[in-house]
Amino acid sequence: VESLDWGTLSTLSTMNHVSGSPFGNPVSFASNHGVPYMCVSPLDQSIQDLFADARVSLSMSEAQFGNYSSCLIPSGDPENPPCARLSISGVFENVTDPNEWQIAKQVLTAKHPSFENFCFSSDDSFHHFFLAKINIYQVWLINMYGGASFITPSQYYNVTKNQEESNLSSSSSSTLIIN
């Protein structure tokens, strides 16, 4: 999660003719210690959906890195279980704590420099961007044959913390595997 900068945000649609159906929409995010932060506008359809039902999932794939053989066709495929897929489920929340807001702004602008021009512009009289996060209640991971793992928030945050500590003590990166 820390290495990616976008995923698919899934909501329950409020749009006419498909109300209540799943709706997926790409969203840019940045993570701080595993918490995914986003800068969003209430004009975005996904955010309109979340005003009606704040349950959300954010899905990512190892294929987004573009260089893992298990994800590349013809020898692999993004749907191949060793090509890891992660889906974070939780409740979408507005970031209101001033300290957390500053952290969210810092990680978002570090990963998405263009956000300075619209998310944090003093001239945002139309889009009304705000910072939000996902309060995680489940993580779903498939990264090997044999089925998915269901990961509790405490397990997820512990792995994120341990991975960050490992990255600080080692210059090489490795794929995170949870069984």
Side-chain angles (χ1 to χ4, degrees), residues 56-68:
V56 65
S57 67
L58 177 65
S59 300
M60 295 147 277
S61 169
E62 197 169 36
Q64 290 170 258
F65 291 114
N67 58 354
Y68 287 93

Side-chain angles (χ1 to χ4, degrees), residues 40-76:
V40 294
S41 168
L43 299 177
D44 184 293
Q45 182 59 52
S46 295
I47 307 312
Q48 292 176 30
D49 296 343
L50 291 166
F51 288 146
D53 185 336
R55 293 175 298 163
V56 65
S57 67
L58 177 65
S59 300
M60 295 147 277
S61 169
E62 197 169 36
Q64 290 170 258
F65 291 114
N67 58 354
Y68 287 93
S69 61
S70 61
C71 303
L72 299 174
I73 297 170
S75 60

Side-chain angles (χ1 to χ4, degrees), residues 32-173:
N32 185 51
H33 304 294
V35 178
Y37 290 102
M38 296 149 272
C39 179
V40 294
S41 168
L43 299 177
D44 184 293
Q45 182 59 52
S46 295
I47 307 312
Q48 292 176 30
D49 296 343
L50 291 166
F51 288 146
D53 185 336
R55 293 175 298 163
V56 65
S57 67
L58 177 65
S59 300
M60 295 147 277
S61 169
E62 197 169 36
Q64 290 170 258
F65 291 114
N67 58 354
Y68 287 93
S69 61
S70 61
C71 303
L72 299 174
I73 297 170
S75 60
D77 192 271
E79 211 172 322
N80 189 15
C83 182
R85 289 169 279 158
L86 183 79
S87 187
I88 294 171
S89 298
V91 177
F92 185 82
E93 295 179 354
N94 189 352
V95 175
T96 57
D97 176 76
N99 293 330
E100 186 178 20
W101 193 95
Q102 285 299 324
I103 291 168
K105 178 183 178 183
Q106 181 180 7
V107 298
L108 282 163
T109 55
K111 199 160 264 196
H112 305 280
S114 66
F115 280 15
E116 277 291 349
N117 300 327
F118 60 94
C119 286
F120 305 109
S121 170
S122 59
D123 183 29
D124 180 28
S125 57
F126 180 69
H127 291 97
H128 304 289
F129 287 103
F130 64 97
L131 299 185
K133 67 179 181 179
I134 298 175
N135 185 355
I136 298 170
Y137 57 71
Q138 178 180 284
V139 177
W140 178 93
L141 171 71
I142 190 163
N143 61 350
M144 193 52 60
Y145 297 103
S149 297
F150 294 91
I151 301 163
T152 66
S154 62
Q155 291 169 319
Y156 168 76
Y157 290 121
N158 190 43
V159 168
T160 301
K161 178 181 169 222
N162 291 339
Q163 184 69 25
E164 288 169 359
E165 290 170 358
S166 173
N167 288 343
L168 289 174
S169 64
S170 169
S171 59
S172 65
S173 63

Side-chain angles (χ1 to χ4, degrees), residues 11-25 43-50 52:
T11 60
L12 294 174
S13 181
T14 58
M15 292 183 283
N16 291 338
H17 308 294
V18 293
S19 183
S21 297
F23 179 70
N25 194 5
L43 299 177
D44 184 293
Q45 182 59 52
S46 295
I47 307 312
Q48 292 176 30
D49 296 343
L50 291 166

